[in-house]
Amino acid sequence: MEVLIEYLAKGFLLMLSISMPCVLVAAGIGLVVGILQAVTQVQEQTIAAAPKILGVFLVIVAGGIGFINLLKGFVIDGMSLAFNLVSKNDSYVLPADYYKYTSPFEKEMSDRFKNQPTINEIMKNPGKVPFIDNQQKMRYIPSPQTPMPKPDFVETNKILGR
């Protein structure tokens, strides 16, 4: 779990390192254009927008290969983390017999409505409203017992005394 949180923090830092040059260039150009507009007393909004767009475009073009390399390294680290570290850790992998427990109420649901008429019978008798009889309402069906779950990563470390 700590590795995943560290990877998330690395992603946030990468996001900041890629976006920060564009934001700083746009802020710097906005400051210079704002000072020039204040000196010349020309208050036109499009004059400020065009240089910002051009400056951010030039930063993306100039740093594009570096940004792509940073992202490529991040994705490669993520894939190696996902396929080499997480998949070998027992606390992140589903048990081999997981499919047994994906529909735990299947038996109860199929038994519960077996006395109910089909849609064709209901359509033939429109005045008869289908209800479950009282004997079926009162019947209690206990759920099947599942095996004890494995301890998670923290519990395993406590058991082993690490």
Side-chain angles (χ1 to χ4, degrees), residues 54-75:
L54 183 64
V56 170
F57 177 73
L58 290 175
V59 167
I60 291 172
V61 168
I65 299 298
F67 296 157
I68 289 173
N69 286 335
L70 286 172
L71 287 172
K72 184 175 74 171
F74 184 69
V75 169

Side-chain angles (χ1 to χ4, degrees), residues 81-99:
L81 181 76
F83 293 116
N84 295 329
L85 181 69
V86 174
S87 64
K88 291 181 176 54
N89 191 347
D90 287 337
S91 64
Y92 296 111
V93 179
L94 294 175
D97 57 352
Y98 178 74
Y99 65 91

Side-chain angles (χ1 to χ4, degrees), residues 23-39 48 51-52:
V23 171
L24 289 177
V25 165
I29 291 173
L31 180 67
V32 170
V33 170
I35 291 172
L36 288 175
Q37 283 182 335
V39 170
K52 285 183 191 178

